[in-house]
Amino acid sequence: MRRRRGGKPAWYAPAAIAVDAVGAAGPVYAVFRLFGEAHAVWYATVVAVAWVLVRASHTRYAWRALGERGRVRPLLRDGMVLLGLLTMVRAATDEDSPSHLVPSALIMCLAVAATWQALTHRHLLARRRDGRGVRRALVIGETSALNGLVNRLSRRTDHEFVVVGVCPIGDGAPNLIAPVAARLAQRLPAHLSDDSEPVLAAVRGLEVDLVFVVSGPTMAAERLRRLSWAVHEDGCPLVIVPGLTEVVQRRVTVSTLAGLTTLHVTPPARGAAVLVKGALDRVGAAVLLVLFAPVFAVVAIAVRLDSPGAVLHRQIRVGHQGRHFTLAKFRTMVADAEQLKQELAKTNEHDGLMFKMRRDPRTTRVGRVLRRYSLDELPQLVNVLQGHMSLVGPRPPLPEEVAQYNEVELRRLCVKPGLTGLWQVSGRSDLSWDETVALDLHYVDNWSPVVDLNILSRTLRAVVEGNGAY
């Protein structure tokens, strides 16, 4: 049976090659012409061909990679390889143009490639939300684990799979509950095991592109091995889901030990990465305090004129490892807001430990504007400078919230709280409590300096759109 390639448009590959070639040649030609260098066309052609070859050698044009979320690190690695190749060509040909011209042009080349990756990824996501560009998947596993995987796949649209059938298993053979009318009509090999027959019938009857197997006590070792034989005989890929959740790929290494396939999971970033994060936090906060000084003055005057009370509102919050600190924000509510909170407790619109109201009567007119654009949080840059907070991290909780945390929720305190974070750029108060905790735990387990830079770049868009800001 012919397997589909994910339903991606056929123009992805040639368009990616063309964009990379033009994105490399254009800046090089423009820079060399600007500085009056001869042979600008020749230089541009060499760089374009080299850039496409570097990208192709790293499988950037492979069908599985096209349109998927682009990462900064592989792109930078490709750029460094290209720079090395051009340096060797320059040395071998005794080329005498100024050495800074090509690196200057390569910055634009990388920017073009990154922009194209982002646009293509958005286009592919839009297709998948419409039910196009997807691959049909069959899920096999114990009922409880199977339901968890199916629910996770169905809730999110940033992947390429749609579940078209499930096979719950127990001590006996898989019980096919997918609607496969053609199963009995299939001519299946006679040597199939009890497991393989219904699974292979579903693969053929539903025209499945891939089989997910959720590992567990009743689906392991020899049983799983025999099932993979049958599925692979039919040319269908098989993916084993080990039950490891919210761990990014860079932390996982696959190896073989005594004939067993093992997954090595490295600890979250520590050591030098923590020192780099702390240095960037302090330097970034100091620079932003200077840049936003005029904004501080305007906001302070507006808060003072709008309603009686202090300009800054101070609260005790819980930080890294449960340490308490005083957080400062521009006041967005009436002076007696804390006392009124008790009266409004029954009107809380949030399903978790946080108190949130979309139309909180305590919020002032200026306060609504400040919250809409997150300007009320600017004084927290002082907390970052003091080391109580980070530029990126989970939301800083109140002591009364932490007092109700369970063991899982307490893990949010394993890193410093942040001025921004995954919660802030993913919907803020529109998210449920479980979604908020899941995002924070994902950050705690997988943060890195690159992840922080990505969240900071997304923060501006989140602030402008204002989704969930109330």
Side-chain angles (χ1 to χ4, degrees):
M1 180 174 62
R2 185 177 65 86
R3 303 293 170 192
R4 290 175 290 274
R5 296 189 295 178
K8 296 178 182 179
W11 54 264
Y12 273 10
I17 295 173
V19 168
D20 280 344
V22 174
V28 171
Y29 177 80
V31 169
F32 273 70
R33 291 285 293 178
L34 180 64
F35 285 87
E37 293 293 322
H39 309 299
V41 173
W42 185 86
Y43 288 125
T45 303
V46 170
V47 172
V49 172
W51 179 234
V52 170
L53 291 177
V54 167
R55 301 279 285 168
S57 67
H58 292 158
T59 67
R60 310 305 182 205
Y61 306 127
W63 196 258
R64 297 285 300 131
L66 291 169
E68 304 301 336
R69 183 181 297 277
R71 291 178 293 175
V72 175
R73 189 174 300 175
L75 185 59
L76 293 177
R77 190 182 302 121
D78 291 349
M80 294 301 294
V81 172
L82 176 62
L83 186 59
L85 287 175
L86 295 178
T87 301
M88 289 189 293
V89 170
R90 177 186 174 86
T93 58
D94 293 325
E95 195 269 319
D96 59 353
S97 64
S99 59
H100 67 277
L101 293 187
V102 171
S104 301
L106 286 183
I107 295 176
M108 287 299 299
C109 169
L110 295 177
V112 170
T115 302
W116 174 251
Q117 286 181 351
L119 292 175
T120 310
H121 181 60
R122 292 185 63 178
H123 180 268
L124 184 58
L125 284 184
R127 287 176 57 86
R128 287 173 177 170
R129 293 190 185 102
D130 292 338
R132 299 175 295 164
V134 295
R135 304 175 72 196
R136 300 163 64 86
L138 176 71
V139 181
I140 307 170
E142 298 173 19
T143 303
S144 58
L146 181 150
N147 289 338
L149 176 60
V150 172
N151 290 336
R152 181 178 288 265
L153 291 175
S154 62
R155 283 199 306 264
R156 299 179 58 166
T157 59
D158 56 351
H159 59 83
E160 61 181 313
F161 299 105
V162 56
V163 177
V164 295
V166 293
C167 282
I169 63 170
D171 293 331
N175 176 27
L176 182 64
I177 63 175
V180 190
R183 181 184 60 161
L184 297 179
Q186 297 289 327
R187 296 186 60 186
L188 301 174
H191 67 276
L192 290 180
S193 65
D194 291 340
D195 283 347
S196 305
E197 183 174 352
V199 171
L200 197 53
V203 168
R204 293 181 175 181
L206 291 171
E207 298 184 355
V208 167
D209 298 303
L210 181 140
V211 174
F212 282 105
V213 178
V214 184
S215 61
T218 58
M219 180 54 77
E222 193 65 23
R223 187 179 187 185
L224 180 58
R225 187 185 185 195
R226 291 180 179 274
L227 178 62
S228 70
W229 289 346
V231 173
H232 287 158
E233 274 188 18
D234 207 49
C236 185
L238 182 139
V239 173
I240 299 180
V241 183
L244 195 64
T245 60
E246 300 300 344
V247 176
V248 294
Q249 183 178 344
R250 59 180 167 79
R251 292 182 56 205
V252 180
T253 304
V254 181
S255 63
T256 302
L257 176 65
L260 300 173
T261 301
T262 61
L263 299 179
H264 293 245
V265 183
T266 60
R270 57 179 64 185
V274 175
L275 296 177
V276 170
K277 181 180 177 70
L280 291 177
D281 283 340
R282 305 264 175 126
V283 173
V287 172
L288 291 174
L289 281 170
V290 173
L291 293 177
F292 283 109
V295 179
F296 274 76
V298 172
V299 172
I301 294 172
V303 171
R304 174 69 73 180
L305 296 177
D306 182 53
S307 64
V311 170
L312 294 179
H313 174 64
R314 292 180 172 84
Q315 274 185 324
I316 299 298
R317 296 293 181 107
V318 182
H320 184 217
Q321 301 296 351
R323 301 185 186 95
H324 289 201
F325 67 96
T326 301
L327 178 143
K329 303 175 66 175
F330 282 120
R331 183 174 56 84
T332 60
M333 294 185 173
V334 295
D336 57 346
E338 292 296 330
Q339 291 74 24
L340 295 174
K341 180 179 178 180
Q342 301 300 323
E343 302 174 12
L344 298 171
K346 295 182 179 180
T347 61
N348 184 14
E349 298 175 4
H350 201 271
D351 66 338
L353 303 180
M354 296 185 293
F355 180 86
K356 291 290 181 181
M357 289 182 64
R358 192 172 295 274
R359 300 185 181 277
D360 197 320
R362 301 172 298 165
T363 306
T364 63
R365 291 172 299 175
V366 169
R368 281 190 287 272
V369 177
L370 297 183
R371 290 190 168 202
R372 170 65 176 75
Y373 296 104
S374 299
L375 295 175
D376 59 316
E377 299 179 359
L378 287 179
Q380 294 174 37
L381 288 169
V382 176
N383 293 114
V384 177
L385 195 61
Q386 294 173 336
H388 300 142
M389 294 178 61
S390 174
L391 289 177
V392 181
R395 168 188 167 273
L398 293 164
E400 54 265 32
E401 295 172 0
V402 175
Q404 302 178 62
Y405 278 4
N406 58 33
E407 182 180 1
V408 174
E409 293 161 348
L410 282 172
R411 183 159 174 77
R412 302 171 76 211
L413 306 180
C414 289
V415 298
K416 291 181 181 180
L419 184 64
T420 185
L422 283 176
W423 180 77
Q424 288 88 337
V425 301
S426 303
R428 291 186 271 191
S429 299
D430 287 340
L431 299 174
S432 68
W433 175 249
D434 288 340
E435 289 172 327
T436 300
V437 173
L439 287 172
D440 285 344
L441 293 184
H442 180 84
Y443 176 80
V444 170
D445 289 337
N446 301 296
W447 78 268
S448 71
V450 174
V451 170
D452 283 2
L453 291 175
N454 178 264
I455 293 174
L456 288 171
S457 68
R458 295 167 57 189
T459 298
L460 179 59
R461 178 180 175 183
V463 168
V464 172
E465 293 179 346
N467 295 329
Y470 54 85

